[in-house]
Amino acid sequence: MESWRRSPKTFLALGLPPTAWLLLFFLIPIGIVWAFSFGEKVGIVDIDITGTFANYDRAFEAVYLQIMVKSLIMAGLTTLVCIAVGFPVAFLITFAPARWKPWLLLLIILPFWTNLLIRTYAMIAVLRTNNGFLNMGLEAIWDAADAVTGLFGLAALGAFQPWDILYSDAAVLIGMVYVFLPFAVLPLYSTLERLDTNFLEASLDLGAGHLKTFFSIVVPLAGPGIASAVIITFIPALGSFLQPDLLGGTDSQLIANVIERQFLSANDWPFGGALSFLLMYITFIAIAARAFLTRPNERRGSLPA
Amino acid sequence: MSDDAIVRIEGVTKTFAGNVTVVDRVDLRVGRGEFFALLGPSGCGKTTLLRMIAGFELPTDGRIVIDGEDMSTTPPNQRPINMVFQSYAVFPHMTVAKNVAYGLKVEGVAEAEIGPRVEEVLNLVKLKGYGARLPNQLSGGQRQRVALARALVKRPKVLLLDEPLSALDAKLREAMQLELVRLQHAVGITFIIVTHDQKEALSMADRIAVMESGKIRQLDTPERLYEYPSNRFVADFIGKMNLFEGKVVTREGARLLVDVTGLGRISVPHEDDIAVSIGVAVRPEKISLYRARPADSAITLQGIVTNLAYLGESLQIFLETESGNQLIISQTNVSRSGSGAPRKGENLWCSWQAADTLLLQD
């Protein structure tokens, strides 16, 4: 960076447009919302910024606190499943033959090429009770099992009862995992890719099996990558509103749905602003926790994410 | 030695990606308790051979027998062999003691036994009191000792070392060479070391296999390799060598009469049969320099000093003969006075004994 400072013209030419963009379209709007969160509604569109904390007080009412806690739990579960599923996937891609790797990675990022709304709608087609792909698959298995038990003269299993999974918290969770899984796989992959395979060979050489090596060597050394994957999954998961909206039931709404409602149907921008900022503070805490967990002192041998 | 071999490599071949043969029908026996070196330039297949002994690569063909058991396809975690990696591969998230204990834990050694064994081996590699440190609090040399301790604590039948000293600075490397020999004597385990550094191999190993293009070119003791290289590659790879082209004229009992380009006819003691076209070689330090023509009947040449290289303990003199041959002559720095040292442009005589002349085929 030293050399950049010596040519301030280049520095300005490159730095000014993005800075102006961020200032104009990110910092100023977010500042306005922050100011609104200390305001009061005085008309349909008019807001008086009075410096009141009433909006924050209201955010801590039991009904909103419950939704906040539920949002944290849902985001946490999503993250957990994404890491549990994403780690083996990233590990397999890392050790796949070199000519397969680009294609496997392409498969991971392929969902990004489709609009999120359409992908979420597609999940409805998968999960719905009548003619959903999940239930059709389950029915086929059920029928096959029924035929087998019939073959052995056992009692029939009875008619197939479709699983009413759509419009429930479970459906929301499935939808969120589906959407955020690539976010978990990519940082895990980039960490595992740079892992010195000598560590794995040394572990095998010392007599450990593959499972032992995976849990004693690979997982700890991938720590910073796991932390990145957790953050990068957890933060957007905490703010997801499309999945609860489309896949959830009436009681499946999360904090982002409440915020959306304040800005749109309820037209209560001060309260929406306060909720938004509370959500953002939680995100800050998560990022700080990551920085703390991956601080580069004692773990120099493990890889940055 | 046949029954004494702890590692027997029989016709081992390794072919990568369909058609690149990295190790080509290698036969090798490593004796119990031997300090054995695989020496060769990079890409000669020595590391691949070592990795096949460790079990990280499977031979395309041939057998690897360890202590009488065919282990060609045995996975690395089931071989009685441990390895010190070039990068050391000391687990960065474990303390020194945990690194060393790792192999014992997975082996299922009783907890009560692990502590003393770790302690003992840390003493052996002179890391007493370092057990609680993390690897990033250690120097490169200390990390290597951890890698050594971690492998030795398993009491393997064979210890493999892949370029163990290449990451150390020159002074430390020399100290570690002595240290490794001391360790090997102390534990009595067979060591197989891979190195591209001939000095390292010569100073440490009991026997050395010199490899080139996947094949062993010569397998011998350090002294025999240096004094009696069996082919041009080994002669050139180990130490410095003056090489002439020659043709065998006739045999005279235990000697051969050879016509050497730019040297004339010389008579060299050589018992074995040899091809007609040969290389005639002599080590730089076997050659003596004179201001006047020496009287004895040794091989004698005249030339002009074209260059001098002062190496501290020795002086290298580059001589060009009338016939255009280039010679390197090495003079040991015996006395500080250094009077009479050759000067550039000086016309000198050089000579060496017929017995110090080597005849090399292929």
Side-chain angles (χ1 to χ4, degrees):
Chain A
M1 287 312 277
E2 200 57 34
S3 60
W4 285 111
R5 263 180 243 139
R6 261 183 258 132
S7 63
K9 276 183 193 159
T10 322
F11 188 75
L12 280 179
L14 289 173
L16 215 53
T19 310
W21 179 279
L22 281 176
L23 199 71
L24 222 59
F25 300 111
F26 177 69
L27 280 178
I28 292 175
I30 216 165
I32 293 172
V33 174
W34 183 73
F36 281 169
S37 73
F38 298 101
E40 280 170 60
K41 248 170 60 144
V42 290
I44 293 176
V45 288
D46 297 322
I47 296 163
D48 261 2
I49 295 163
T50 56
T52 172
F53 279 89
N55 297 310
Y56 288 94
D57 278 346
R58 198 175 146 208
F60 282 97
E61 282 172 17
V63 57
Y64 298 114
L65 219 50
Q66 261 174 5
I67 294 175
M68 187 61 103
V69 169
K70 185 176 176 180
S71 302
L72 287 169
I73 291 172
M74 289 293 279
L77 280 175
T78 302
T79 308
L80 205 69
V81 177
C82 281
I83 300 293
V85 175
F87 201 99
V89 171
F91 191 70
L92 287 177
I93 296 175
T94 307
F95 289 98
R99 64 204 155 88
W100 288 19
K101 269 191 201 179
W103 298 103
L104 292 172
L105 284 171
L106 185 74
L107 283 180
I108 297 295
I109 59 166
L110 203 58
F112 290 134
W113 294 6
T114 313
N115 181 284
L116 174 64
L117 189 64
I118 295 182
R119 273 186 286 150
T120 310
Y121 269 119
M123 285 309 283
I124 295 179
V126 172
L127 297 175
R128 68 183 166 211
T129 311
N130 292 319
N131 295 324
F133 295 117
L134 178 68
N135 272 314
M136 277 158 71
L138 287 175
E139 192 171 6
I141 295 168
W142 181 276
D143 288 348
D146 197 32
V148 171
T149 52
L151 218 61
F152 290 104
L154 296 168
L157 292 171
F160 174 71
Q161 293 294 319
W163 188 16
D164 259 331
I165 187 172
L166 192 59
Y167 307 126
S168 70
D169 288 347
V172 175
L173 190 65
I174 290 172
M176 280 166 69
V177 168
Y178 166 61
V179 168
F180 295 116
L181 190 57
F183 290 98
V185 171
L186 293 177
L188 288 172
Y189 169 77
S190 86
T191 300
L192 291 174
E193 242 271 315
R194 284 174 289 162
L195 192 71
D196 183 356
T197 49
N198 276 350
F199 288 130
L200 315 192
E201 287 181 346
S203 172
L204 291 177
D205 187 67
L206 291 167
H210 285 89
L211 263 181
K212 169 80 181 163
T213 301
F214 184 80
F215 286 108
S216 299
I217 308 298
V218 179
V219 174
L221 289 184
I226 294 173
S228 283
V230 164
I231 290 304
I232 216 165
T233 313
F234 183 79
I235 290 173
L238 193 59
S240 55
F241 71 94
L242 213 50
Q243 293 77 27
D245 212 32
L246 295 179
L247 306 174
T250 46
D251 60 342
S252 294
Q253 61 173 336
L254 300 182
I255 194 69
N257 303 93
V258 178
I259 294 173
E260 185 213 12
R261 213 166 48 230
Q262 302 314 316
F263 281 101
L264 297 178
S265 49
N267 195 24
D268 190 348
W269 286 35
F271 184 48
L275 284 175
S276 298
F277 268 87
L278 283 178
L279 195 63
M280 218 153 84
Y281 296 144
I282 292 175
T283 317
F284 287 160
I285 293 169
I287 292 170
R290 174 190 179 256
F292 179 74
L293 283 173
T294 59
R295 65 194 186 283
N297 57 357
E298 305 179 336
R299 295 180 173 263
R300 209 180 63 184
S302 50
L303 299 151
Chain B
M1 193 166 73
S2 66
D3 293 320
D4 218 26
I6 187 100
V7 176
R8 282 207 324 263
I9 312 271
E10 297 172 352
V12 164
T13 297
K14 179 69 186 179
T15 308
F16 280 117
N19 52 4
V20 186
T21 301
V22 183
V23 175
D24 194 3
R25 282 161 293 165
V26 166
D27 291 294
L28 193 64
R29 283 157 180 277
V30 180
R32 228 169 265 276
E34 199 173 12
F35 199 133
F36 193 91
L38 293 167
L39 174 67
S42 58
C44 72
K46 56 192 193 298
T47 295
T48 305
L49 185 57
L50 193 80
R51 288 174 59 81
M52 284 194 281
I53 300 172
F56 297 128
E57 310 279 356
L58 297 182
T60 314
D61 199 15
R63 296 204 313 156
I64 293 172
V65 181
I66 295 157
D67 203 15
E69 229 181 299
D70 184 347
M71 293 207 165
S72 312
T73 57
T74 308
N77 51 357
Q78 286 161 36
R79 296 192 189 201
I81 282 181
N82 287 109
M83 179 145 157
V84 175
F85 290 81
Q86 185 170 9
S87 64
Y88 313 147
V90 173
F91 304 133
H93 60 298
M94 296 182 191
T95 61
V96 169
K98 287 215 171 103
N99 260 287
V100 178
Y102 184 80
L104 297 178
K105 282 221 175 87
V106 296
E107 201 184 304
V109 174
E111 202 69 43
E113 196 191 322
I114 290 177
R117 271 176 76 173
V118 168
E119 215 37 47
E120 182 196 9
V121 79
L122 285 180
N123 275 343
L124 188 70
V125 299
K126 297 176 178 166
L127 278 180
K128 191 186 167 110
Y130 283 81
R133 301 258 190 120
L134 280 165
N136 69 324
Q137 299 168 314
L138 302 177
S139 69
Q142 289 169 330
R143 266 202 290 271
Q144 179 178 50
R145 286 161 191 273
V146 177
L148 268 168
R150 188 174 68 176
L152 286 173
V153 78
K154 297 271 292 177
R155 294 172 187 161
K157 287 178 178 163
V158 182
L159 182 75
L160 308 177
L161 302 110
D162 184 12
E163 301 268 9
L165 308 177
S166 60
L168 303 177
D169 59 63
K171 264 272 180 280
L172 194 55
R173 195 180 312 152
E174 265 176 43
M176 265 324 270
Q177 287 174 11
L178 293 174
E179 182 76 14
L180 281 175
V181 174
R182 178 192 70 86
L183 262 178
Q184 201 254 342
H185 283 298
V187 294
I189 292 171
T190 308
F191 278 26
I192 302 179
I193 184 172
V194 154
T195 179
H196 66 274
D197 184 335
Q198 41 149 326
K199 278 192 186 150
E200 215 168 280
L202 291 174
S203 71
M204 292 193 289
D206 297 321
R207 285 194 309 150
I208 300 169
V210 182
M211 289 183 73
E212 187 213 0
S213 314
K215 288 194 169 80
I216 292 180
R217 298 304 307 272
Q218 190 173 356
L219 199 171
D220 233 319
T221 60
E223 197 191 339
R224 294 276 315 170
L225 276 179
Y226 189 81
E227 299 292 352
Y228 300 97
S230 64
N231 52 66
R232 283 174 199 244
F233 176 78
V234 174
D236 193 47
F237 187 74
I238 295 187
K240 288 208 164 62
M241 192 64 103
N242 292 299
L243 209 72
F244 308 88
E245 297 303 318
K247 274 195 164 60
V248 177
V249 178
T250 182
R251 176 171 283 285
E252 299 169 328
R255 302 176 80 87
L256 285 174
L257 191 65
V258 184
D259 200 358
V260 185
T261 318
L263 245 179
R265 290 202 170 178
I266 58 170
S267 173
V268 180
H270 197 90
E271 302 269 358
D272 304 325
D273 286 332
I274 198 160
V276 177
S277 282
I278 52 169
V280 178
V282 62
R283 294 277 182 206
E285 70 278 9
K286 314 275 188 205
I287 305 176
S288 310
L289 281 171
Y290 304 91
R291 292 235 147 79
R293 187 188 177 105
D296 61 15
S297 61
I299 299 156
T300 306
L301 273 172
Q302 196 180 18
I304 289 173
V305 178
T306 57
N307 223 333
L308 294 164
Y310 183 72
L311 299 179
E313 82 275 9
S314 69
L315 178 68
Q316 292 206 338
I317 300 121
F318 297 82
L319 207 69
E320 192 175 321
T321 64
E322 293 147 353
S323 53
N325 280 331
Q326 303 280 344
L327 272 92
I328 304 176
I329 297 143
S330 175
Q331 268 190 343
T332 310
N333 183 354
V334 182
S335 166
R336 198 188 270 182
S337 62
S339 63
R343 288 181 304 274
K344 208 168 161 178
E346 203 176 350
N347 205 342
L348 292 176
W349 288 89
C350 69
S351 95
W352 68 89
Q353 301 302 315
D356 287 330
T357 312
L358 282 160
L359 302 184
L360 303 166
Q361 97 183 19
D362 58 61

